Amino acid sequence: MDKMGLDIFNLILRMIQNSFLALAHEKKLRCEKFLEEMEKIIPWEKFSHEIQPFYTEKETGRKRMEMMIMLKIYFLQQWYALSDPAAEEAVYDRNSFQKFLGIDLLSHKVPDETTILNFRHLLEAHKLQERFLKIVNAVLERKGLLMREGTIVDATIIAAPSSTKNQDKKRDPEMSQTKKGNQWFFGMKAHIGVDAQSGLVHTLETSAAKVNDRTPFKKLLHGSERAIFGDKGYCKTEDKREARKKGILWAVSDRGTRSHALSSSQKKQNRKFSSVRSKVEHPFGVIKCQWGFVKVRYKGLFKNTMQLSMLFSLANLFRVRKRLLAMA
């Protein structure tokens, strides 16, 4: 190939490359679309109002980072399962995160991992994550997306590190071991009460993994139920009688025993309510499968309970985001 032919070839190659770059720039990434949607539906003003009394400017030392940036970074940690150091690095690395935070690396300072950690500690110290769940549910209830007529109860096991190769040479004392099927698990349980119509979480309780699912059962009810749904683990004759006396539909699966097998009508009824009970799996699917919360990040129940409160708050918004955007 002569020089003229080589020049033409290079020119065509550059044109193709520029076309691909222009196309890539125009195409909106899934991550960017998700962050744009969440930014539009999160009640930022209400969250800020809860944080503001505790986020006053310090008299000495460095000036505090802008509260909204810190809150957004905290949310990014929930959505992308980021530790404090990983969150700092991700902000430097990902253009979509910088757009979401509204910062330019040339003119803005990125919070370091210690600042991110201190902000999380501030939220935990005042149990603001629990307040956020109540705020989100109040907003959704006003918009008619959370009905509170029936409740589905369920629990899931969240694994914790079982290794003793740490400074204390022992496992987390607030976690425990339990057997499910033929497999042993070490960790904690997240117990939730879910709206039977929308599948949104209205109540959260946590415990060590060995605690029976029935133990926090009544705490998962808001008290205005017309129906209660649950799997056979929640079956108890006394609760069934009590619910029926109050005129509440008891839709908890009946459980057979060795001496008294389930009748055909009981099996039919269990199948009838199974489609409603399945809604309780959706919030677990969001936080575990989509957002990667499959193992506890912190030691002890308290900090992990605060994180779960935040995760379910955001999961509730995420699951009705299309309807919220349509309303907006």
Side-chain angles (χ1 to χ4, degrees):
M1 185 182 292
D2 57 15
K3 187 177 184 301
M4 182 177 292
L6 185 61
D7 289 342
I8 293 172
F9 175 78
N10 288 332
L11 178 62
I12 293 172
L13 183 62
R14 282 198 298 272
M15 290 174 64
I16 293 172
Q17 289 173 336
N18 290 336
S19 298
F20 276 119
L21 287 171
L23 183 63
H25 182 72
E26 290 176 4
K27 180 179 173 62
K28 187 171 289 186
L29 300 177
R30 187 187 303 175
C31 172
E32 290 180 315
K33 184 180 178 182
F34 164 74
L35 293 176
E36 283 182 9
E37 288 178 343
M38 295 303 291
E39 185 169 19
K40 290 176 182 176
I41 63 174
I42 290 173
W44 297 108
E45 188 176 344
K46 294 181 183 298
F47 287 173
S48 300
H49 180 73
E50 292 295 323
I51 302 171
Q52 192 63 58
F54 313 108
Y55 201 72
T56 53
E57 194 61 55
K58 295 183 294 185
E59 294 183 3
T60 58
R62 291 187 301 174
K63 186 178 179 181
R64 281 192 187 273
M65 291 294 298
E66 186 180 335
M67 181 177 65
M68 193 59 68
I69 290 177
M70 298 307 304
L71 185 58
K72 286 185 174 183
I73 290 176
Y74 181 63
F75 289 169
L76 288 172
Q77 288 184 279
Q78 313 313 312
W79 293 326
Y80 296 96
L82 298 171
S83 65
D84 300 329
E88 180 189 355
E89 291 183 8
V91 173
Y92 280 110
D93 184 59
R94 300 186 63 165
N95 183 252
S96 58
F97 284 14
Q98 294 162 24
K99 287 182 180 179
F100 177 66
L101 297 173
I103 63 174
D104 181 354
L105 296 183
L106 296 176
S107 55
H108 291 84
K109 186 177 180 181
V110 175
D112 59 27
E113 62 179 275
T114 303
T115 305
I116 295 171
L117 177 143
N118 289 337
F119 182 77
R120 174 170 55 81
H121 284 178
L122 181 142
L123 297 180
E124 291 166 351
H126 303 284
K127 299 183 180 180
L128 293 178
Q129 292 93 331
E130 291 181 345
R131 287 287 306 139
F132 292 163
L133 180 58
K134 292 178 181 178
I135 288 169
V136 167
N137 287 344
V139 170
L140 298 181
E141 194 169 3
R142 282 198 301 272
K143 293 180 180 293
L145 299 175
L146 184 62
M147 305 306 294
R148 294 184 183 271
E149 292 184 353
T151 292
I152 316 168
V153 293
D154 201 7
T156 189
I157 298 171
I158 302 168
S162 58
S163 174
T164 58
K165 294 180 180 179
N166 52 52
Q167 189 174 0
D168 298 329
K169 304 298 181 184
K170 60 182 180 180
R171 300 189 295 186
D172 187 341
E174 294 187 31
M175 305 292 167
S176 66
Q177 190 165 286
T178 189
K179 190 176 184 181
K180 187 176 181 180
N182 294 321
Q183 192 172 355
W184 285 94
F185 296 90
F186 179 79
M188 65 177 288
K189 275 184 182 177
H191 309 261
I192 58 173
V194 170
D195 179 47
Q197 185 168 338
S198 63
L200 302 175
V201 177
H202 60 69
T203 310
L204 166 69
E205 293 289 331
T206 57
S207 69
K210 67 180 180 181
V211 174
N212 190 284
D213 290 357
R214 279 199 46 79
T215 302
F217 167 66
K218 293 189 176 179
K219 291 182 180 179
L220 300 177
L221 307 177
H222 51 68
S224 303
E225 284 85 3
R226 296 182 184 178
I228 299 173
F229 299 81
D231 61 32
K232 61 185 180 181
Y234 295 92
C235 182
K236 190 175 182 181
T237 306
E238 291 81 355
D239 289 338
K240 186 175 184 179
R241 289 172 182 165
E242 184 182 343
R244 287 183 172 177
K245 282 181 182 178
K246 295 178 180 178
I248 299 172
L249 172 64
W250 182 258
V252 174
S253 294
D254 288 321
R255 179 171 52 190
T257 62
R258 289 184 180 180
S259 56
H260 293 88
L262 290 178
S263 65
S264 58
S265 61
Q266 286 176 310
K267 291 178 181 178
K268 185 178 179 180
Q269 183 173 277
N270 285 353
R271 287 193 298 270
K272 178 182 176 181
F273 295 127
S274 62
S275 60
V276 179
R277 289 199 308 272
S278 64
K279 291 181 182 178
V280 79
E281 299 297 337
H282 299 167
F284 291 142
V286 171
I287 70 167
K288 282 188 168 185
C289 302
Q290 292 187 252
W291 296 348
F293 186 73
V294 293
K295 182 177 283 190
V296 300
R297 183 172 295 280
Y298 312 113
K299 190 173 182 180
L301 284 176
F302 175 74
K303 288 187 176 184
N304 291 296
T305 300
M306 292 301 103
Q307 185 179 12
L308 279 164
S309 295
M310 193 72 258
L311 282 165
F312 284 125
S313 304
L314 295 171
N316 281 355
L317 290 169
F318 173 74
R319 295 196 56 234
V320 295
R321 68 192 185 284
K322 299 297 183 184
R323 296 172 68 182
L324 288 171
L325 289 169
M327 290 177 183

